[in-house]
Amino acid sequence: MNRWPSSLRLPDYKPFWPRPSRPFLAGNTLGGMLQTAGNKFRPTPESALDRFDCTSVELPIRDGSGDILAGDFYRPDHPVADRPLVVLLHGLGGTSQSDYIVSAAQLLCDEGNRVVCLDFRGCGDADPKSDGIHHPGRTGDLSALMRAVQHDDWAQGELDNGVVLVGFSLGGSVLLKFLAEEDIDRRVVGAVTVSAPLDLRSTALNLSKPSVWPIQRYLLRRMKSEVLDGPADLTDNECAAIRQARSVWMFDETFTAPHCGFASVEEYYRENSAGPLLSEIDVPTLLIFAENDPVVSTDDYRQYDGKGNQKLHRAIVPDGGHVGFYAEQGSLPHATLRWHESCIASFLEQLTLDPNSSPRAGRTEYEHIKESQLDRGKGEESAKEVAARTVNQQRRIEGRTPNRTTQQ
């Protein structure tokens, strides 16, 4: 069973502000905007990951669509034993090469972690390989990820210590919904979200505020380009709706919701919001959020508290913006300027597994073996036979079932 350490310890956070402006920026919207735009002033070099061994991977989704997930698997020079594999999930309009993904991957590899930077379907390197578009209800993509790695040579032996999923912004929202709704693979041993929207309606309305206009303009440009330049089969009316959209809400109302089969944008937001589902999560999960996030409302984190779910740990600070969290030079215990990255590294260092029980609560060994056989292409009856035979053999070895050949 997955469990927290006796006391999760996260690094102290001292937000970076130019000294004279500290009283005018700390804890307010302007400060949040500047933290959010921090990567424009302190970009991560494109070559940051070049020194690590890298394997490009393609993961078929196997849902009948023919779509493919893509990503890059980075191995550190000196991997730390017994650490889980880390999978980084990008946000809206992002890719596996987004600055915040590359920056986090660099630190985690430096700390001895193996890292996969994933492109959702229709994004980044997965764009030309997918007809479908990415949206926050695509939790099946993460289930497909866990199934696909069982068939890929690069992943063999890499999942022995489990997987920790880390979602940024909308990628975090997808991750939370996945953890709450899907039949979680027993190898998922932990999760982290950074600035994840909990209420998509609230977030879309937030983006329409005049003070957040630069962020909405940037996201809308990326969203339009992602869909119009991709291989998705769009009608003339859909293309016109995309080009005419003047806000994220309008984009979702006139294109995303109807294209994905929702009756209205309200239904689309309601059905795909993760906040109401937090109480259902049964995996140790760290939620990182700043109260001056200009994109995601603080009220959402107050409203959706997980109803006392002991598997959730909420790390909420006054400053940090949206996936910003820039700290004072030298104030963090890890070699990074971004507090959330240091939190992720600390989480990985402290996350433990109970060695005497299955990582997936309530899952029997029979069910796990049966599922594994089905994933390998075995038929239902064959999978049941293999699972039963394996479990019975193990019970005989452990003395829990008498061996028919020796019992007289």
Side-chain angles (χ1 to χ4, degrees):
M1 178 182 296
N2 299 343
R3 60 181 174 86
W4 282 108
S6 56
S7 177
L8 180 65
R9 299 173 300 281
L10 297 178
D12 292 335
Y13 178 41
K14 298 178 180 178
F16 168 79
W17 303 119
R19 296 292 179 181
S21 61
R22 182 187 300 272
F24 307 102
L25 298 177
N28 61 35
T29 301
L30 178 57
M33 289 287 288
L34 291 176
Q35 279 277 353
T36 303
N39 62 348
K40 300 300 181 183
F41 305 106
R42 296 183 174 184
T44 305
E46 294 182 2
S47 59
L49 299 177
D50 289 353
R51 56 194 172 89
F52 302 111
D53 179 57
C54 177
T55 301
S56 294
V57 299
E58 293 185 357
L59 305 172
I61 295 181
R62 305 179 193 278
D63 62 355
S65 67
D67 290 347
I68 292 176
L69 304 177
D72 293 309
F73 174 40
Y74 294 97
R75 297 177 178 87
D77 297 330
H78 305 289
V80 177
D82 300 328
R83 287 277 180 86
L85 178 70
V86 183
V87 179
L88 303 182
L89 310 171
H90 63 79
L92 181 67
T95 73
S96 63
Q97 298 303 308
S98 292
D99 182 271
Y100 56 87
I101 295 288
V102 175
S103 178
Q106 179 185 18
L107 171 70
L108 294 175
C109 284
D110 282 337
E111 294 289 322
N113 300 284
R114 295 157 297 122
V115 178
V116 173
C117 301
L118 186 73
D119 280 312
F120 285 109
R121 75 171 88 192
C123 304
D125 290 340
D127 188 6
K129 305 175 180 68
S130 304
D131 289 333
I133 66 169
H134 175 52
H135 72 77
R138 295 276 194 193
T139 55
D141 284 10
L142 297 184
S143 295
L145 165 68
M146 299 307 301
R147 289 194 300 269
V149 294
Q150 298 185 42
H151 303 274
D152 281 68
D153 294 338
W154 70 269
Q156 302 312 305
E158 300 294 345
L159 306 180
D160 292 347
N161 297 311
V163 180
V164 168
L165 302 171
V166 181
F168 297 83
S169 191
L170 194 67
S173 181
V174 176
L175 173 55
L176 292 173
K177 194 167 186 290
F178 164 75
L179 295 174
E181 289 187 335
E182 299 288 333
D183 185 14
I184 303 301
D185 190 290
R186 68 188 185 92
R187 294 166 298 183
V188 178
V189 298
V192 183
T193 65
V194 183
S195 306
L198 300 182
D199 185 320
L200 298 180
R201 182 182 186 277
S202 169
T203 301
L205 291 174
N206 239 26
L207 284 168
S208 295
K209 294 179 179 178
S211 60
V212 192
W213 173 79
I215 296 177
Q216 172 158 257
R217 182 185 180 191
Y218 169 80
L219 290 175
L220 197 56
R221 184 172 66 249
R222 295 298 300 265
M223 292 163 64
K224 290 181 177 183
S225 174
E226 184 179 283
V227 177
L228 291 174
D229 296 342
D233 187 16
L234 305 176
T235 67
D236 291 342
N237 287 339
E238 286 178 323
C239 290
I242 293 168
R243 294 190 180 97
Q244 293 169 11
R246 295 295 177 264
S247 67
V248 170
W249 180 289
M250 187 176 178
F251 183 96
D252 288 338
E253 182 178 39
T254 59
F255 169 68
T256 313
H259 181 82
C260 296
F262 293 93
S264 67
V265 69
E266 296 278 359
E267 179 187 63
Y268 167 68
Y269 288 149
R270 183 175 61 254
E271 294 296 320
N272 293 303
S273 290
L277 306 174
L278 293 184
S279 61
E280 304 299 320
I281 294 175
D282 194 35
V283 172
T285 303
L286 172 63
L287 293 88
I288 300 172
F289 178 70
E291 292 176 338
N292 67 346
D293 188 322
V295 175
V296 180
S297 172
T298 302
D299 290 340
D300 296 343
Y301 274 77
R302 292 172 180 155
Q303 177 181 358
Y304 301 114
D305 58 2
K307 297 179 181 178
N309 186 343
Q310 296 300 306
K311 294 296 178 71
L312 304 181
H313 185 99
R314 296 151 62 88
I316 300 178
V317 292
D319 294 292
H322 190 76
V323 196
F325 299 101
Y326 286 90
E328 289 185 0
Q329 183 82 34
S331 66
L332 297 172
H334 304 93
T336 178
L337 293 174
R338 307 184 78 167
W339 179 69
H340 68 269
E341 294 177 355
S342 194
C343 287
I344 295 168
S346 295
F347 177 87
L348 291 167
E349 292 164 1
Q350 297 174 64
L351 185 66
T352 61
L353 291 176
D354 182 345
N356 298 315
S357 60
S358 169
R360 185 194 291 176
R363 295 288 292 174
T364 66
E365 188 65 15
Y366 171 87
E367 291 169 320
H368 168 54
I369 296 171
K370 174 187 169 185
E371 181 182 274
S372 177
Q373 293 296 311
L374 290 171
D375 286 338
R376 293 175 183 175
K378 297 285 188 180
E380 180 78 15
E381 293 305 315
S382 177
K384 289 180 178 178
E385 180 181 348
V386 172
R389 184 169 63 246
T390 303
V391 169
N392 287 334
Q393 181 180 18
Q394 184 64 31
R395 285 176 174 173
R396 284 195 296 271
I397 292 173
E398 296 173 355
R400 289 184 285 159
T401 302
N403 189 326
R404 292 175 182 268
T405 63
T406 59
Q407 183 185 16
Q408 300 294 333

